[in-house]
Amino acid sequence: SYFCMNWILLILFTGPTVLGSILKGKVGQSITVPCFYTVKRSQDITSMCWGRDKCPASKCDRPIIWTDGQRVTEQYNSRYMLKGNLSMGDVSLTIVNAEEADSGIYCCRVEILGWFNDQRTNHNVVIEKERISTASPHTYTSEQTSAHRSASESSLTITRTWPSVSASEAPQTASDPCSSTSDCSDVTTNLQ
């Protein structure tokens, strides 16, 4: 009977706690940790808190944000905010510009009227660094580039030859692509 009574008290004092999902995000991005409660009428709107670590028996350990149900009353870091509609029960936590140090367990505690009725949800948040690809394009050192350029320049010869065309074969609307000698020399210079 003593064992049963202790077990019942343990259940009552710890209350129901839901383990949320594992949420992953990247450093520098925003991540939203979901938390909702049911609001059918204005009397259902209630206070709540977000804290770091698992939800304790009451309140929030290492609190981040507190609300009175209508608005945020305490905010311990400007990167943690509630962007949802509080009066509709959306108390999801948004972490802006996430850092690796933001990884860990987060507790969402909605304070429901009555003894041991609070809605508690624990979420595991993992913030990872952006992966940097190890594959990189081939790059040349300035010596290689210079050597490559001078070798190709010395072997490159541009010869301008025009096929001979009789006057009867030439189209009447065609114009000379190089109307003056300077136009063709500019093209040749740019090619080199």
Side-chain angles (χ1 to χ4, degrees), residues 102-170:
D102 294 322
S103 294
I105 303 290
Y106 287 79
C107 165
C108 174
R109 176 194 249 16
V110 178
E111 297 176 329
I112 307 294
L113 190 61
W115 286 50
F116 313 111
N117 288 335
D118 290 356
Q119 174 185 309
R120 300 180 295 168
T121 309
N122 293 311
H123 295 277
N124 188 8
V125 174
V126 178
I127 306 297
E128 300 170 333
K129 284 184 180 177
E130 189 72 39
R131 286 188 183 178
I132 299 173
S133 175
T134 56
S136 63
H138 184 70
T139 55
Y140 294 97
T141 62
S142 58
E143 293 83 18
Q144 289 172 321
T145 305
S146 299
H148 179 70
R149 187 181 313 124
S150 60
S152 64
E153 285 174 0
S154 63
S155 64
L156 179 63
T157 306
I158 298 176
T159 308
R160 197 173 93 189
T161 57
W162 298 98
S164 59
V165 177
S166 69
S168 63
E169 293 175 331

Side-chain angles (χ1 to χ4, degrees), residues 52 77 79-80 95-106 125-127:
R52 297 292 302 261
N77 187 323
R79 291 187 312 104
Y80 298 122
I95 304 170
V96 178
N97 195 19
E99 301 172 354
E100 280 186 283
D102 294 322
S103 294
I105 303 290
Y106 287 79
V125 174
V126 178
I127 306 297

Side-chain angles (χ1 to χ4, degrees), residues 160 162 174-187:
R160 197 173 93 189
W162 298 98
S175 61
D176 185 1
C178 297
S179 58
S180 72
T181 310
S182 63
D183 289 342
C184 288
S185 62
D186 287 345
V187 171

Side-chain angles (χ1 to χ4, degrees), residues 1 10 14 24 32 38 59 66 68 92 109 128 137 143 149 158-159 161 172 180 191-192:
S1 124
L10 179 66
T14 57
K24 292 186 178 184
T32 299
T38 303
K59 310 275 184 208
W66 283 90
D68 63 3
S92 300
R109 176 194 249 16
E128 300 170 333
E143 293 83 18
R149 187 181 313 124
I158 298 176
T159 308
T161 57
Q172 298 301 318
S180 72
L191 286 173
Q192 288 177 347

Side-chain angles (χ1 to χ4, degrees), residues 85-97:
N85 187 338
L86 299 181
S87 62
M88 296 301 292
D90 182 357
V91 290
S92 300
L93 174 70
T94 298
I95 304 170
V96 178
N97 195 19

